[in-house]
Amino acid sequence: MPITIEGPALPQPRGVLSASVIDTLRGPGSRCAAELVRRAEPYGDDLQLALYLCYELHYRGFAGVDEAYEWDPHLLGFRRALEHRFLTALRKDAARPRSVDEALDALLVEPVEGAGVSHRLCDEGELWQLREYAAHRSLYHLKEADPHAWVLPRLRGRAKAAMAAVEFDEYGGGRPERVHAVLFAGLMSDLGLDTAYGHYLDAACAQALATVNVMSLFGLHRRLRGALAGHFAAVEITSSPGSRRLARAMSRTGAGPKAEHFYTEHAEADAVHEQVVRHEVIGGLLETEPQLAPDIVLGIDATGFLENRFGTYLLDRWDAGSTSLREPYVQSGTGSAK
């Protein structure tokens, strides 16, 4: 008898690839056409949603979907084609030939006059823009730290111990109310957003999906453990200044104490994590597996590339006076994160 769970509902398809995955998950008889992947836009809505659906089977799954699909051979073969298209594009568009130290040092340099999303929201963002930003980010933050946890069994020594220590903080240091996903649900509640896991999947743009998918791509493949470590380093090193700006945005707009607290917590914690990740996780990994240096750089570069695409999309939409969401959000503040 099929085993099903009550996760989020399956979303609406965004093209032939995502429709193919959804049809497969809805019942036997349907099969994904891998040959269509070669012509797909690697960063587009259709491919990114199809990939997100395949990856989500390894997290919480979807309501009414048989859990056995997590290891369905045909679906895994289709996912492999999607991943190849995405990873090939990232290697071509994002990767730059440089050392790990050069890539890490570049993360510490912020432009004198910043023009990114966190700068905009800090200085002049409106509540509706903060809500949109949170809706997009909820696809990751309601499972924050989970994609990076995949790397733990693939590390050893200093790198493993340091990674576990940072992840312990991400999961609340043993206190369930301090789990970062729970804190983000509080932020969403203050902003009047629905806190149910996966609620905003239909509303999220392809650029937001890609920032989540790249973590799962790196995390689910042992051969890409260096890239996931690089991604983790990029996130932790750049998090603190951006979080301080977003905390100020929440305070300035009166978003609420939980909304502000989520980012003040990250500004403080990630300032400490930055050094641990650089010197112990990355340093320890290079000490035992120096051949992973190019993949670490790939992880750093892919993170910046995809985050820049996401930020540019948001600012372009807002500058045009338009929503960045594919469909309007509903203010409700119901549901739970973890």
Side-chain angles (χ1 to χ4, degrees), residues 88-166:
T88 299
L90 286 175
R91 290 191 187 280
K92 174 179 177 292
D93 299 333
R96 290 182 282 167
R98 52 183 177 161
S99 70
V100 172
D101 281 341
E102 288 173 328
L104 290 171
D105 287 344
L107 295 174
L108 296 171
V109 179
E110 285 209 320
V112 176
E113 295 190 17
V117 171
S118 65
H119 293 87
R120 174 74 65 84
L121 292 174
C122 177
D123 297 335
E124 56 187 86
E126 300 179 33
L127 266 175
W128 69 271
Q129 293 169 329
L130 290 171
R131 290 187 183 108
E132 290 195 358
Y133 182 76
H136 287 298
R137 289 299 197 190
S138 68
L139 297 185
Y140 168 62
H141 281 305
L142 290 180
K143 61 169 175 251
E144 185 171 340
D146 291 350
H148 294 123
W150 295 113
V151 82
L152 280 169
R154 287 129 188 209
L155 301 177
R156 49 188 164 145
R158 286 169 53 205
K160 190 186 195 83
M163 187 75 187
V166 176

Side-chain angles (χ1 to χ4, degrees), residues 178-250:
R178 293 183 62 84
V179 170
H180 284 188
V182 173
L183 297 181
F184 192 78
L187 172 148
M188 295 181 74
S189 180
D190 269 1
L191 290 173
L193 295 171
D194 194 308
T195 65
Y197 182 92
H199 179 82
Y200 292 101
L201 179 53
D202 273 322
C205 63
Q207 291 84 352
L209 294 180
T211 66
V212 184
N213 284 339
V214 74
M215 291 183 249
S216 298
L217 169 64
F218 293 157
L220 288 168
H221 292 274
R222 186 171 64 86
R223 66 185 174 87
L224 295 173
R225 60 194 178 279
L228 187 63
H231 182 284
F232 190 63
V235 170
E236 294 298 314
I237 291 173
T238 60
S239 171
S240 192
S243 292
R244 283 194 292 270
R245 287 189 288 269
L246 290 168
R248 288 196 293 270
M250 296 298 176

Side-chain angles (χ1 to χ4, degrees), residues 324-336:
S324 65
L325 298 173
R326 290 173 51 86
E327 60 178 36
Y329 60 83
V330 177
Q331 291 183 241
S332 64
T334 60
S336 61

Side-chain angles (χ1 to χ4, degrees), residues 21 53 65 153 177 239 313:
V21 175
L53 292 167
V65 172
E177 73 278 7
S239 171
Y313 173 79

